[in-house]
Amino acid sequence: MQDPFEQHCHQNILIRLHTGYDMPGVGFGTLGGHGHAPQSPDSPQTVAQAVEEALIAGYRHLDCAECYGNEAEIGGALCKAFKTGIKRDDIFVTSKVWNTNHSKKHVRNACQQTLKNLGLEYLDLYLIHWPLSFQHTGTAMGVPRDTNGIVGHGRVPLLETWQEMESLVDDGLVRSIGVSNFSAVELGDLLASCRIRPAVNQVECHPYLAQKNIRQACEAFGCKIVAYSPLGGPANQGCDDKRRVLSDPTLEKLASNRGCTVAQLVLRWLLQEGIAVIPKSSNKVRLEENLASAALDELSAQEMGLVRCLDCNVRYCNPDWAFGGSQVFEP
Ligand code: A2P
């Protein structure tokens, strides 16, 4: 008999983590207008409504984070879904510890608070959101800055944070652990000293930012990539002056040849590269369209190659949190 999780995911693509758990390839992003992304206008209620619609549409992978400031509302949506017969084990839920909570004691408190907000007993995946710590502020959102706007960095080594994440696995609070926004070097450093290897590195990834180096490193370490902003993120709402992935002429042509949307083509391309995607949408039609990308016919080698050629190092998410106020990633 088919596993119920596999049944629910029959139209999705499952990606097996080294921990033995399966993660649906198409997940649902829940970044709203709070936390560190004020460019997104979606209130916690709007995101929770979208999560309800996503679960009805068939999504079984939710990507959350304490710093999005909407986990309690998403917990409400999950509670409703469970009343309709969806089981906890049918859904793969990710959350992330925020930069203000990197110390041993705060990691555990943060995870427990996330579980309480989401109304869950365990997380499928828990990530270190960024490879840098901020001063502990007592809130799980925002960036501590002094009156001159200088970021208040913390002094917590990443290994301390990781070791507490490992103990969350030991204690059954989370099933798999991973990282986000880690470079190949940071990942290698962690691998040299960890007891439990990261199962996932979640990074910005789309046709304009194919992340070759990080992907190579992850592949060597048996770590899967989850692509955030797979459609090019905030640029889609016209709040960024960069080139828009969804208006790319090559992608438009490939999509029209196949009779699918550009968003579907992009998501299908990432999935076929072995990368999980977490597109975010508060629009019912678009969120259904995004999920359906997993059921598209395979892209040919030629189509895959044409999309690969679009890589041009356009990054939409590069906050100025590094020391001295510089951007986290090299421009
Ligand atoms: P909306 O919520 O109005 O659908 P990303 O997942 O790369 O961060 O992109 C999210 C942005 O892309 C949001 O602005 C979202 O707007 C928009 N978006 C999501 N899905 C689609 C789609 N299928 N077609 C066009 N825009 C989309």
Side-chain angles (χ1 to χ4, degrees):
M1 209 177 92
Q2 208 181 6
D3 181 288
F5 185 68
E6 280 181 22
Q7 258 169 31
H8 281 297
C9 294
H10 67 285
Q11 288 208 307
N12 212 321
I13 287 170
L14 293 176
I15 294 182
R16 173 132 315 165
L17 305 179
H18 77 69
T19 48
Y21 293 103
D22 286 328
M23 173 175 69
V26 182
F28 190 69
T30 66
L31 173 63
H34 291 245
H36 64 82
Q39 74 272 26
S40 168
D42 293 343
S43 68
Q45 292 71 24
T46 306
V47 173
Q49 175 66 35
V51 168
E52 270 182 51
E53 280 163 2
L55 290 168
I56 291 168
Y59 282 84
R60 293 295 180 267
H61 171 177
L62 299 180
D63 183 78
C64 310
E66 59 169 335
C67 81
Y68 300 166
N70 54 20
E71 290 191 323
E73 289 78 4
I74 292 171
L78 280 168
C79 183
K80 280 191 199 167
F82 293 144
K83 285 186 185 146
T84 68
I86 294 179
K87 306 260 183 325
R88 169 64 188 93
D89 281 358
D90 297 340
I91 310 183
F92 187 99
V93 183
T94 301
S95 185
K96 316 180 191 82
V97 60
W98 184 232
N99 309 349
T100 51
N101 285 328
H102 272 205
S103 73
K104 183 173 160 57
K105 170 172 95 183
H106 296 131
V107 169
R108 183 160 291 248
N109 288 344
C111 182
Q112 284 168 333
Q113 188 58 49
T114 279
L115 288 170
K116 193 170 162 203
N117 286 343
L118 292 170
L120 301 178
E121 284 180 359
Y122 69 91
L123 292 171
D124 295 278
L125 180 64
Y126 199 44
L127 308 179
I128 299 183
H129 205 149
W130 289 86
L132 74 173
S133 72
F134 294 158
Q135 287 158 6
H136 179 69
T137 54
T139 76
M141 281 161 60
V143 181
R145 291 183 190 267
D146 68 14
T147 47
N148 296 317
I150 306 293
V151 173
H153 287 102
R155 291 168 152 268
V156 187
L158 282 172
L159 188 58
E160 175 179 329
T161 311
W162 188 254
Q163 285 173 340
E164 190 55 18
M165 307 269 287
E166 292 175 329
S167 71
L168 296 176
V169 177
D170 297 338
D171 296 342
L173 278 76
V174 308
R175 287 186 164 176
S176 303
I177 48 178
V179 296
S180 181
N181 295 300
F182 271 47
S183 67
V185 172
E186 285 156 344
L187 198 63
D189 199 40
L190 186 60
L191 274 145
S193 26
C194 65
R195 179 165 61 83
I196 302 178
R197 281 184 291 132
V200 156
N201 187 12
Q202 186 183 119
V203 293
E204 178 179 340
C205 190
H206 44 71
Y208 287 176
L209 188 70
Q211 300 278 25
K212 259 203 203 132
N213 291 347
I214 291 181
R215 278 163 62 189
Q216 263 173 13
C218 283
E219 187 152 357
F221 300 138
C223 173
K224 299 295 179 191
I225 298 269
V226 176
Y228 74 74
S229 295
L231 304 175
N236 294 320
Q237 289 174 338
C239 39
D240 202 308
D241 54 10
K242 296 205 174 89
R243 294 166 56 184
R244 292 174 78 237
V245 171
L246 294 184
S247 310
D248 183 275
T250 303
L251 296 174
E252 280 176 344
K253 188 151 185 282
L254 289 172
S256 102
N257 288 348
R258 292 199 144 236
C260 68
T261 67
V262 176
Q264 287 179 318
L265 185 99
V266 167
L267 297 175
R268 178 71 216 187
W269 175 75
L270 285 160
L271 289 166
Q272 235 169 283
E273 293 278 18
I275 296 173
V277 295
I278 46 168
K280 180 244 135 220
S281 180
S282 42
N283 175 285
K284 188 169 176 293
V285 174
R286 286 194 285 275
L287 65 85
E288 285 172 354
E289 170 187 322
N290 294 344
L291 183 61
S293 61
L296 288 187
D297 288 342
E298 269 195 20
L299 302 190
S300 67
Q302 195 197 9
E303 289 170 308
M304 291 297 287
L306 284 169
V307 182
R308 268 183 216 130
C309 286
L310 300 176
D311 188 13
C312 55
N313 203 32
V314 168
R315 192 186 283 281
Y316 298 100
C317 179
N318 197 357
D320 63 346
W321 299 338
F323 287 99
S326 58
Q327 292 185 302
V328 174
F329 304 108
E330 292 285 321

